[in-house]
């Protein structure tokens, strides 16, 4: 059985003190819960607060992740952060190809592919985000768009040790809008992603691959989303910024 993975993507929110307090509150709340043995909770704070968040983590199933990385190891890349740097502050996961990075910062599938390779080369598990816009959905392009993001994003990526990466399906129209995909809408796309992965990597790998849903997940809709057969977790933005709501989503898993 696949584990449940709940990721908090704090985006460009929190101060240093707020980040430490939020991480400590989530860590405390996990100590009062009994999670299934392989379930994982991942916190992705802004870069400057990675270390202070890591210092709050004592629960064995709570991990540190970053929101982005640059594919080079080191060098003249002003403002960028590399995989070895992330590893050195305790990161084990990294979000790659979030739709905000694609849209606002012009990230291409090729760059995202390079980031995935750099992450894996340095022992970070990448969480590859894919998803369609509302216009693409209305034009019945959802599967075409996602297949394209997967084939270019995962180009030359070997399966390796399983699971070598995670996928997050994040419909762009659901992110930060308060309008999550329905569980049925999300399940259809998650099933499509798993079938696409099975065709490329084989059934055993696809069966173990965690596929997370992201886009307006909150304590009220989490249980229904997470009960779908191909939804293995959640990538949570706004609702991850309060310990109460994030822990309620964990409880729904
Ligand atoms: P949201 O963000 O939960 O605020 O919609 C999700 C995400 O962008 O990862």
């Amino acid at each position: 059985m696949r584990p449940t993975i709940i990721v908090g993507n704090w985006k460009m929110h929190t101060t240093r003190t707020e980040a430490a307090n939020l991480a400590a509150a989530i860590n405390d709340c996990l100590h009062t819960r009994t999670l299934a043995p392989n379930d994982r909770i991942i916190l992705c704070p802004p870069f400057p607060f990675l270390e202070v968040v890591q210092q709050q983590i004592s629960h064995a199933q709570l991990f540190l992740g970053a929101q982005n990385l640059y594919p080079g190891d080191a060098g003249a890349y002003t403002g960028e952060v590399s995989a070895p740097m992330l590893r050195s502050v305790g990161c084990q996961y990294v979000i790659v190809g979030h739709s905000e990075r694609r849209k606002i910062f012009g990230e291409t599938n090729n760059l995202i592919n390079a980031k995935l390779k750099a992450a894996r080369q340095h022992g970070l598990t990448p969480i590859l985000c894919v998803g369609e816009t509302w216009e693409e959905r209305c034009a019945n392009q959802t599967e075409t768009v996602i297949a394209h993001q997967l084939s270019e994003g995962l180009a030359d990526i070997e399966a390796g040790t399983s699971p070598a990466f995670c996928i997050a399906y994040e419909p762009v129209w659901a992110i930060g809008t308060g309008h999550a995909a329905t569980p049925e809408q999300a399940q259809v796309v998650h099933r499509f992603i798993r079938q696409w992965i099975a065709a490329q990597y084989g059934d055993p790998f696809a069966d173990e691959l965690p596929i997370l849903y992201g886009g307006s997940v909150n304590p009220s809709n989490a249980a229904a989303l997470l009960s779908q057969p191909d939804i293995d977790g959640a990538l949570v933005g706004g609702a991850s910024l309060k310990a109460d709501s994030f822990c309620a989503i964990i409880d729904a898993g």
Side-chain angles (χ1 to χ4, degrees):
M1 207 180 104
R2 291 184 294 271
T4 300
I5 301 177
I6 309 290
V7 184
N9 174 13
W10 296 1
K11 307 194 181 184
M12 199 172 74
H13 292 290
T14 70
T15 62
R16 184 178 192 278
T17 304
E18 288 165 353
N21 291 343
L22 179 55
I26 293 166
N27 186 69
D28 287 350
C29 116
L30 292 183
H31 279 293
T32 67
R33 309 304 205 259
T34 307
L35 302 179
N38 292 322
D39 288 358
R40 279 166 272 170
I41 314 300
I42 303 166
L43 302 182
C44 301
F47 287 138
F49 310 137
L50 285 167
E51 209 159 7
V52 79
V53 165
Q54 173 68 5
Q55 286 161 4
Q56 308 305 316
I57 294 178
S58 65
H59 193 281
Q61 289 167 269
L62 184 58
F63 298 93
L64 189 66
Q67 299 174 19
N68 185 27
L69 84 166
Y70 186 77
D73 286 2
Y77 302 105
T78 302
E80 295 297 325
V81 175
S82 71
M85 292 174 184
L86 296 177
R87 288 288 287 165
S88 75
V89 291
C91 283
Q92 299 195 40
Y93 293 86
V94 61
I95 299 170
V96 175
H98 191 281
S99 67
E100 287 152 16
R101 303 251 14 126
R102 293 176 189 264
K103 181 158 182 256
I104 304 169
F105 303 101
E107 289 198 8
T108 62
N109 286 321
N110 286 349
L111 178 61
I112 290 162
N113 178 249
K115 291 182 176 200
L116 275 164
K117 288 175 179 160
R120 296 186 69 219
Q121 188 189 347
H122 293 284
L124 289 165
T125 300
I127 302 166
L128 170 64
C129 300
V130 296
E132 83 288 0
T133 64
W134 182 249
E135 292 68 30
E136 289 162 344
R137 171 163 282 263
C138 292
N140 283 326
Q141 292 293 306
T142 299
E143 293 188 357
T144 311
V145 166
I146 287 171
H148 186 68
Q149 290 170 336
L150 290 172
S151 67
E152 292 196 353
L154 293 172
D156 305 319
I157 302 270
E158 304 290 327
T161 51
S162 174
F165 49 82
C166 307
I167 307 266
Y169 168 55
E170 296 210 304
V172 178
W173 47 271
I175 296 176
T177 60
H179 300 292
T182 65
E184 295 74 22
Q185 284 173 321
Q187 167 58 25
V188 167
V189 181
H190 280 237
R191 165 60 50 151
F192 170 77
I193 293 172
R194 201 174 304 286
Q195 286 170 344
W196 190 96
I197 293 287
Q200 302 296 316
Y201 294 95
D203 285 336
F205 183 84
D207 286 344
E208 281 193 42
L209 178 74
I211 306 177
L212 319 183
Y213 168 79
S216 296
V217 176
N218 63 41
S220 311
N221 61 23
L225 285 161
L226 292 168
S227 68
Q228 295 295 314
D230 288 290
I231 301 184
D232 308 313
L235 177 47
V236 187
S240 73
L241 292 169
K242 294 259 184 312
D244 286 357
S245 52
F246 191 59
C247 290
I249 291 168
I250 293 168
D251 291 340

